[in-house]
Amino acid sequence: MIAKISSGKSTAGLIRYLFDTKRAKGHTDPHLVGSWDGFAPDPGRTEAPDAARKLLVADLDLHVRQAKRLGRAPEKHVWHCSVRAAGSDRILTGEEWADIARRVVHATGIAPEGDPDGCRWVAVRHAPDHIHIAATTVRADLRGARHWNDYLTADRELAAVEKQYGLHQVVRGDRTAAKRPTRAEQEKAKRAGNKKTPRERLRAAARTAVAAATSTEEFLALLEHTEGVLVGVKRFPSGDVRGYTLALEGDTNSEAEPIWYSGSKLSPDLSWPRISERLTATAATARPWQDAITAAEDIPRALTHDGARAAQAHITALGETLDALPLLAPAPYRQELRRAAAAFERASRSRIHAENQHAARLRGAVRAMLRTPPPGSSDGTLLALLLDTLVLATAATLRWHDLQHHDQQVTATRNALTHLHTAADQAATTALATVKRAGRTSPVVRLRYERVVRVVLPEHADTILNARDWEALAATLARADTRGLDPVDVLRGVAQRPLDNARYPARLLAWRIQQTAHTAQTPRTVPPAPQPTPSLAPQPGGPRTRH
């Protein structure tokens, strides 16, 4: 069930609308299903509706008029709450709707149960699937109703109603979602021929810049050189940055001025303090690709055993990793990866405040990856391993959010997983073809490695040996064997890392063995000095900066 709450100045205007069957759409049979005392006049069940409507308004406004004589009536004394059931729900009876209305006015503080001085209210049903609650917010003791946070309290009560009545349970948020584009913004974008609104496009640009930047200064520089983006920097008298705003070129108001959005208006985690906190918690790395994979492999363990704030830090860094992936991946995978990042954006935040230092390794590795080509990257196995590892980390995030009862984040993570699976499978197809071309194994040789799998991984053996990717794993073990390595030791080494919940354990093991070979052949080097990433490099004639 969904509640919508608003306020107004005219009781008569609201009652007139609720009982209007001529101009208002969907008002088929308006009538009362409940009221403050059970005896309110019902314009929908009388032969003199106009007279009954006037009586109803007078009764609702009784305490408002008394408060006005004392100069104590609020300007907006009308409280209006609509409650709508889901399309899949059964048709509720009038008595059930009356009970729901009483629970809502009690929960919100409009008319607490057992309070003789509660506000006057009525519940009007003029369609099968919803009701409207109209109330005046002056109590019988002429005090104002205490209904702060009424939307949240109504929403919590409706969640309980859904469970009790066996109705569809709405996915509810925790007030950490990014602000949705308004209807006006959507219509404006549509007229301009854009699928996304300026707010959404700027949010994506800011998130990409955060994922790529190694400092707050570089974050601003990347935005300043992002095509079509205007940047406003706000400073303290000392000269230190205190915030930033973004605008899209061509998106102007009625006075032809750019429409600016602060970072916090784009998303709660894009405020200047939050960005500064995250970019400060970044560790240097000498082997970014390997370190990113290792850090991502540790996320399922961290989400299970570390505290909630540490877990949230890993999830935040995972979101930044997904934001950066389209900059790293070949063109065929970018669209799915962008969709995965866009979906996971909602899953990367919760009411739990992240202790970002716990994810410094992954954050630093991802930023260094943007500046360092993957070692031995020609066969694509390193990227395939990274994607399969991120799939496991995202699946672990889904379980964590579910345990925390983060409903919206669960839905967002599930959507992100769908796109990640597609991208990982695309990358695997390319890499597997390369591995198979490098060397095929005979049935006799595969039988030998089958025994190795059963010795090292007895609990996963049947899944691995019956997988379509088993031949690729056997070929990878054979290559290690020809280099003088013991296949048992090789497989045991890579199997020490998490393998549970892997969709395709055979190919994941093959990637890990390949990655181990690349690591052994790649000497440790000092990380290069940060340079602008190619896809975010300054554009000729880029937008100006507003200071």
Side-chain angles (χ1 to χ4, degrees), residues 321-330 333-334 337-339 341 535:
T321 304
L322 297 181
D323 288 330
L325 277 180
L327 305 177
L328 292 163
Y333 318 147
R334 288 176 193 159
L337 292 175
R338 289 192 186 100
R339 290 171 178 165
S535 55

Side-chain angles (χ1 to χ4, degrees), residues 93-374:
T93 66
E95 290 76 15
E96 288 172 325
W97 277 120
D99 175 59
I100 292 169
R102 282 190 292 269
R103 293 174 64 164
V104 169
V105 295
H106 165 72
T108 55
I110 293 295
E113 191 75 26
D115 183 356
D117 293 328
C119 299
R120 295 192 164 193
W121 62 272
V122 293
V124 180
R125 183 181 188 180
H126 55 209
D129 62 348
H130 69 280
I131 60 170
H132 291 261
I133 304 172
T136 48
T137 57
V138 178
R139 294 163 45 86
D141 56 14
L142 303 189
R143 293 185 297 153
R146 306 182 70 175
H147 59 99
W148 296 287
N149 290 324
D150 50 9
Y151 173 77
L152 294 178
T153 53
D155 196 51
R156 281 197 293 265
E157 187 63 28
L158 291 178
V161 168
E162 290 166 355
K163 292 181 180 179
Q164 180 177 333
Y165 280 86
L167 306 176
H168 170 72
Q169 296 185 25
V170 174
V171 176
R172 289 179 162 82
D174 55 7
R175 304 184 77 182
T176 62
K179 184 177 180 181
R180 293 181 179 179
T182 65
R183 179 67 177 270
E185 290 174 344
Q186 293 174 333
E187 292 298 327
K188 185 177 180 180
K190 187 176 180 179
R191 290 194 300 271
N194 296 316
K195 293 182 179 180
K196 293 185 177 181
T197 65
R199 185 191 299 272
E200 293 170 311
R201 294 163 66 186
L202 292 171
R203 182 186 303 137
R207 289 184 64 85
T208 301
V210 171
T214 57
S215 66
T216 52
E217 292 80 7
E218 189 178 14
F219 166 72
L220 292 174
L222 290 172
L223 283 173
E224 289 167 3
H225 294 96
T226 299
E227 185 178 359
V229 175
L230 305 176
V231 183
V233 180
K234 300 183 181 298
R235 300 182 182 274
F236 291 109
S238 63
D240 293 336
V241 177
R242 66 179 178 87
Y244 72 103
T245 55
L246 300 180
L248 204 62
E249 282 190 336
D251 181 36
T252 58
N253 57 22
S254 58
E255 298 178 356
E257 297 174 338
I259 299 175
W260 296 91
Y261 298 87
S262 65
S264 60
K265 292 297 183 183
L266 296 175
S267 179
D269 57 350
L270 291 179
S271 67
W272 184 253
R274 290 289 182 89
I275 289 174
S276 301
E277 181 182 332
R278 286 152 64 189
L279 294 183
T280 300
T282 304
T285 176
R287 299 184 304 172
W289 283 80
Q290 290 81 2
D291 285 348
I293 291 169
T294 302
E297 283 178 334
D298 189 53
I299 288 178
R301 181 209 61 78
L303 297 186
T304 302
H305 300 291
D306 292 353
R309 291 192 172 189
Q312 181 59 58
H314 288 291
I315 293 172
T316 300
L318 176 59
E320 294 173 18
T321 304
L322 297 181
D323 288 330
L325 277 180
L327 305 177
L328 292 163
Y333 318 147
R334 288 176 193 159
Q335 187 62 33
E336 287 299 329
L337 292 175
R338 289 192 186 100
R339 290 171 178 165
F344 196 82
E345 184 268 341
R346 178 66 190 98
S348 64
R349 295 183 304 278
S350 73
R351 298 288 289 180
I352 299 170
H353 186 74
E355 292 179 345
N356 287 295
Q357 69 274 13
H358 292 283
R361 184 183 187 186
L362 177 58
R363 185 173 285 109
V366 169
R367 281 149 180 79
M369 285 165 60
L370 293 169
R371 298 157 175 84
T372 307

Side-chain angles (χ1 to χ4, degrees), residues 381 384-385 388 428 431-432 435 507-515:
T381 56
L385 171 58
D388 273 344
L432 285 170
V435 171
R507 86 183 189 197
L508 183 59
L509 290 169
W511 305 154
R512 289 176 179 175
I513 294 171
Q514 292 278 92
Q515 186 249 346

